[in-house]
Structure formats: structure tokens, C-alpha cells
Amino acid sequence: MIRVDVTLPVNDPAAPDQPALDRDQVWAGLLRKAENAVPFVPGMEACTVLERTSDGLVREVVVKGEAIREDVTFTPKERVSFSRTDDRAAWVIHNVIGEDASGALTLTFTGEMTAGPMADGAADPDPERRGEARPLGGGGGRATEEQLRSNMRRTVSNTLDVIRRTAAGGADGEGRI
């Protein structure tokens, strides 16, 4: 199993010109990401909700032509979890709204891969860009984990950027407001 955690501040003190977000705005953004991850996740081609459940939804995402079914579970104003279990891979990715020691909002993405090429250390699928495997020299291990962490950091950052644009009255990445 491979586990990677990436936490970023929601409101970066080094970027005071960015719109400040509160927990409700981040939560609303994560719900939009669950419904349609395309504007949030680099490399995702499509995202279709297949069914709704009492605590989430089932969706199909497409990355590089590969259709992937995910169960999405909501823990209101706290966490959205994306789970995949099929004959090609098994993982869960948590998007968690939290707070640091000073009480400032954070957004943490945690990826836990238990089966598939990433868990075996053979290739590096970005946990948010399912199926985009790239061999790494040496075949895995620490290099694979670091690449995964880098990809996840980019996705957390992009997610916050899309939420900020929406909060500031801008487009969601597809020209919608």
C-alpha cells in the first residue's frame, strides 16, 4: 500500500490578493468537484454522475480514454471520499477540510492505493488523474511516491484556484459561473 498526504492552506497568507474562503465555500467547491471534476482535475476528460445515494453519488470519470467508476461519499462540511475498486486498481482519495494548529483552514488530499500499478511500485497514476500511468526510472519506490505527491499537490492547488475563481464571481473553468 502507498499513502500520500498533501495539505495546503486554504487562505495563503503570502497571497493577500486572493479571495479569502470560508469552510462553506470550500465545501461547496468540493461538492461541485464531486459532480464535475473536469475543471478541477488536470487531465480529466469527462465526469458523469451515474446515480445518487443517501450520502454521496456514483460517477464515471474518463482519463486518457479510460472510463473509471468511483463511489463518492460525503461527510458534510468535512470530507469527500472517492473510492475505486475494480480488477485494474483499488484506491481511496479523501479531500478533507481541516484546520492547522492556529485554526486556519486547510485542504488535505490523502491518497491510499492498495492495488494496481501504483501500489505495486511499477508506475505512477496521479490519484486524481486516474489511469495516467508513467513509468519512472528504477521502477517505483521513493521516486514513485514523490511523483505522486507532486501530482497531488498540483491538484489540491488547482482545486483551490477553481474554488477561489467561483467565490470571486468568476468562471468555474468551463466558462460557467
Side-chain angles (χ1 to χ4, degrees):
M1 180 173 118
I2 292 179
R3 179 186 166 111
V4 173
D5 298 288
V6 173
T7 300
L8 293 180
V10 168
N11 299 303
D12 187 351
D17 57 322
Q18 292 179 337
L21 300 173
D22 62 26
R23 181 178 291 271
D24 289 337
Q25 290 169 309
V26 176
W27 177 248
L30 292 180
L31 291 176
R32 284 192 308 278
K33 181 175 177 272
E35 294 272 339
N36 179 20
V38 173
F40 297 86
V41 181
M44 188 170 289
E45 300 163 12
C47 180
T48 305
V49 174
L50 303 174
E51 67 182 82
R52 299 189 185 282
T53 65
S54 62
D55 64 346
L57 55 91
V58 178
R59 70 183 193 177
E60 181 179 87
V61 297
V62 178
V63 178
K64 290 201 171 197
E66 180 186 6
I68 300 160
R69 184 180 170 109
E70 292 180 315
D71 294 316
V72 182
T73 307
F74 303 134
T75 304
K77 297 192 181 186
E78 217 176 281
R79 173 182 23 214
V80 178
S81 298
F82 306 87
S83 300
R84 172 187 181 175
T85 304
D86 60 32
D87 58 346
R88 295 172 294 176
W91 65 63
V92 63
I93 298 167
H94 304 286
N95 295 189
V96 180
I97 304 169
E99 297 177 3
D100 65 15
S102 69
L105 281 178
T106 60
L107 183 59
T108 300
F109 283 14
T110 299
E112 299 170 353
M113 291 70 178
T114 56
M118 183 63 190
D120 297 336
D124 175 32
D126 180 324
E128 287 283 337
R129 293 177 11 185
R130 325 299 199 250
E132 197 171 300
R134 290 183 303 276
L136 298 173
R142 185 80 177 142
T144 301
E145 186 176 323
E146 290 307 314
Q147 184 65 43
L148 178 60
R149 188 175 317 285
S150 173
N151 291 340
M152 190 177 284
R153 178 174 296 281
R154 183 176 58 241
T155 302
V156 176
S157 179
N158 191 64
T159 297
L160 287 169
D161 288 346
V162 172
I163 294 170
R164 281 188 198 98
R165 282 194 304 271
T166 304
D172 68 0
E174 290 189 325
R176 295 186 308 246
I177 295 180

